[in-house]
Amino acid sequence: MQTKTIQPIHVLCFETRTSFQEIFQYVRVEARKLYQDAIRNELEITGPIYWVYEGDDGRPDTVFTLTIALPVTPPSHTIDSAYQLKQLEAFECISEELYGSWDGLVHTYGALFGEIISQKLAMSGQSREIYLNMDFENPDRNITEVQVGILK
C-alpha cells in the first residue's frame, strides 16, 4: 500500500448516475466508445482507462456518480464528441495494485479501508480504479490500481 498524490489529469469522459446493481451495462461499452471517439477526433491518448466513483458506499442500491475517463492531451482543435473533456483534479489517496481477477477487488478495498482506519485517515468520498491491463479472456492477467481518496 502506498499513499500518494495524483496530479491533475486531462480526460475525455463519460459521466452518469448509477448503482452497483446497474453498473454492468457500462463494462466493455463506454471505454471502447471513448477510445473510438478519441481516435476519430485525433486526440492523443496518454494513459489507461479510469473508473472514478464519487459518493458510493459499496451497497448495491446506492446511487453514485460514475466517471469513465480516458486520459488525453488537451486538444488544440475543436472536437465533435458526445463525450466531454475535463480535468480530474489532484487526488490524495492510498493505493494498492491488484494482480488478477476483479473478484479480488473486494479484498483490495477491504485492505485499503483497514489501512485508512489504522492510520486514522479521513476518506474523501472518491475512489478510482485504473485499468493498467485488462484481459477478458485470462482475468488472472489483469492489473488494476485501486485508489481510495483521503483528506489531508
Side-chain angles (χ1 to χ4, degrees):
M1 263 172 253
Q2 185 178 10
T3 302
K4 56 183 162 180
T5 301
I6 308 302
Q7 296 303 315
I9 303 167
H10 195 268
V11 298
L12 181 68
C13 67
F14 165 82
E15 289 187 324
T16 191
R17 299 279 296 160
T18 192
S19 68
F20 286 118
Q21 286 177 329
E22 300 171 346
I23 201 166
F24 292 101
Q25 66 186 305
Y26 305 113
V27 175
R28 297 186 79 177
V29 175
E30 293 304 328
R32 184 177 297 181
K33 289 179 183 178
L34 283 166
Y35 278 110
Q36 290 169 342
D37 199 70
I39 291 166
R40 186 179 58 74
N41 278 287
E42 299 181 358
L43 299 176
E44 182 179 24
I45 298 169
T46 59
I49 286 288
Y50 282 61
W51 281 47
V52 181
Y53 305 87
E54 186 78 44
D56 72 288
D57 60 9
R59 296 185 184 138
D61 56 346
T62 299
V63 176
F64 57 89
T65 300
L66 170 67
T67 303
I68 301 174
L70 179 63
V72 296
T73 298
S76 58
H77 60 281
T78 303
I79 68 167
D80 176 24
S81 177
Y83 297 106
Q84 64 177 311
L85 291 166
K86 72 180 247 180
Q87 184 167 283
L88 299 180
E89 298 303 324
F91 185 62
E92 299 288 334
C93 66
I94 187 163
S95 73
E96 184 169 343
E97 287 190 359
L98 168 64
Y99 295 89
S101 169
W102 294 316
D103 293 341
L105 283 170
V106 171
H107 173 73
T108 303
Y109 275 103
L112 288 167
F113 293 148
E115 188 67 20
I116 287 168
I117 290 167
S118 75
Q119 291 187 35
K120 297 182 174 138
L121 301 170
M123 290 189 284
S124 71
Q126 183 182 112
S127 60
R128 298 177 178 182
E129 295 168 3
I130 299 94
Y131 295 95
L132 303 172
N133 188 63
M134 296 177 283
D135 190 329
F136 295 102
E137 302 294 317
N138 301 287
D140 57 314
R141 297 178 184 168
N142 291 337
I143 304 171
T144 310
E145 182 178 347
V146 178
Q147 301 174 340
V148 176
I150 55 174
L151 300 174
K152 283 234 169 175

